[in-house]
Amino acid sequence: MSVYMINSENLNQILKEQGTIMNGKVKFGLLSCIWILLTSGFLSAETTFGKNYVEGSLSFINFGDGEMSEIFGNANEISGKINFNITSHFDLSLGAGYFWAEGSDQGFNLDLSSTSISLILNYFFNNGNQFVPYFRSGIIFLSSELKATGFGGSETVEESDFGLLVGFGFGYSITENVYLNLGLDYYTVNDEDGLQFAAQIGFWFNESIIGTFGGSLDLDNDSSAVSVGVIISF
């Protein structure tokens, strides 16, 4: 019987790559998610910019064609956000997400998880118009854990780090009940950086409830995500 010895250096490398992917959704995600950190739009007369609301989403993640895809295949993330209006041009949003994936490599069973927290300040203008541009910046905290189990036992590698995010985008009212959000974010975390593009379509069921469908693409590591969610304004 072969006994597989756990290589902590390799596990740390896998964990570092995972940290880079997760920063882009925070979602966003996050990121989040991100994942996934997009601020949602509203009807033709107004937007959710300048409003208080809570948001929840479920994301399905594809790691692309690299090593992460070979080891884990796909992954999932649940995320939430609460948005507070500060002034007529500024919102502050607090987001959190939990990501998990299972896989195997070189005889090991791998369990990968990550928790993210984000604090994002949004600046918007033209509020109340059909087209509402915005800029945003904030900080991200990411804590990841990778557990490897094999015939020789198990070992857990943990890594935590803070990161930064800046981005811009716009919300656009397509019809009286449907809006589109597009955004591009630059992030840096775990000594890595990258760009993420995200899009979200929302449908207002009534004056306070929105159903959302969106997606994101990390332009540096080819990972992508599809998300469904709900927003409740108050």
Side-chain angles (χ1 to χ4, degrees):
M1 178 182 294
S2 299
V3 178
Y4 295 93
M5 301 301 293
I6 297 174
N7 188 323
S8 297
E9 181 178 353
N10 290 339
L11 296 185
N12 274 297
Q13 180 61 32
I14 295 173
L15 188 61
K16 184 177 181 180
E17 294 176 2
Q18 185 272 340
T20 303
I21 293 172
M22 281 307 301
N23 177 70
K25 290 179 340 342
V26 210
K27 160 175 317 126
F28 171 59
L30 293 199
L31 255 240
S32 100
C33 104
I34 3 128
W35 236 140
I36 303 175
L37 294 172
L38 282 177
T39 305
S40 303
F42 198 79
L43 307 184
S44 57
E46 57 183 334
T47 73
T48 50
F49 296 107
K51 291 185 174 293
N52 301 311
Y53 63 86
V54 293
E55 179 177 3
S57 64
L58 173 64
S59 301
F60 306 94
I61 302 163
N62 185 301
F63 288 118
D65 297 327
E67 182 182 9
M68 293 292 291
S69 178
E70 295 177 359
I71 295 174
F72 294 103
N74 300 315
N76 302 288
E77 183 185 25
I78 54 174
S79 61
K81 180 174 70 175
I82 183 168
N83 187 81
F84 300 99
N85 176 238
I86 302 175
T87 71
S88 58
H89 291 285
F90 285 98
D91 283 352
L92 184 66
S93 62
L94 175 65
Y98 178 75
F99 159 99
W100 71 96
E102 298 179 351
S104 61
D105 185 38
Q106 301 180 26
F108 299 113
N109 293 323
L110 302 176
D111 294 298
L112 181 62
S113 63
S114 183
T115 301
S116 60
I117 300 174
S118 64
L119 185 65
I120 308 295
L121 182 65
N122 302 281
Y123 172 77
F124 52 90
F125 45 99
N126 288 341
N127 196 23
N129 295 331
Q130 187 176 20
F131 178 78
V132 182
Y134 71 86
F135 295 93
R136 66 181 180 175
S137 63
I139 58 174
I140 304 165
F141 173 74
L142 182 69
S143 178
S144 301
E145 178 182 287
L146 177 62
K147 181 179 180 181
T149 303
F151 294 115
S154 64
E155 182 171 331
T156 300
V157 178
E158 298 179 349
E159 183 174 333
S160 299
D161 205 351
F162 284 91
L164 300 175
L165 178 144
V166 293
F168 66 93
F170 65 86
Y172 182 78
S173 298
I174 301 175
T175 70
E176 291 185 350
N177 295 320
V178 179
Y179 70 81
L180 171 68
N181 261 355
L182 296 176
L184 182 67
D185 290 322
Y186 169 80
Y187 63 84
T188 174
V189 68
N190 287 342
D191 298 322
E192 301 285 347
D193 60 0
L195 288 172
Q196 185 185 61
F197 172 78
Q200 183 187 69
I201 293 177
F203 179 84
W204 278 87
F205 294 105
N206 54 42
E207 294 182 354
S208 60
I209 300 177
I210 315 170
T212 65
F213 176 80
S216 64
L217 174 65
D218 195 298
L219 303 180
D220 287 86
N221 57 40
D222 197 34
S223 63
S224 60
V226 175
S227 303
V228 293
V230 63
I231 297 172
I232 302 175
S233 64
F234 59 91

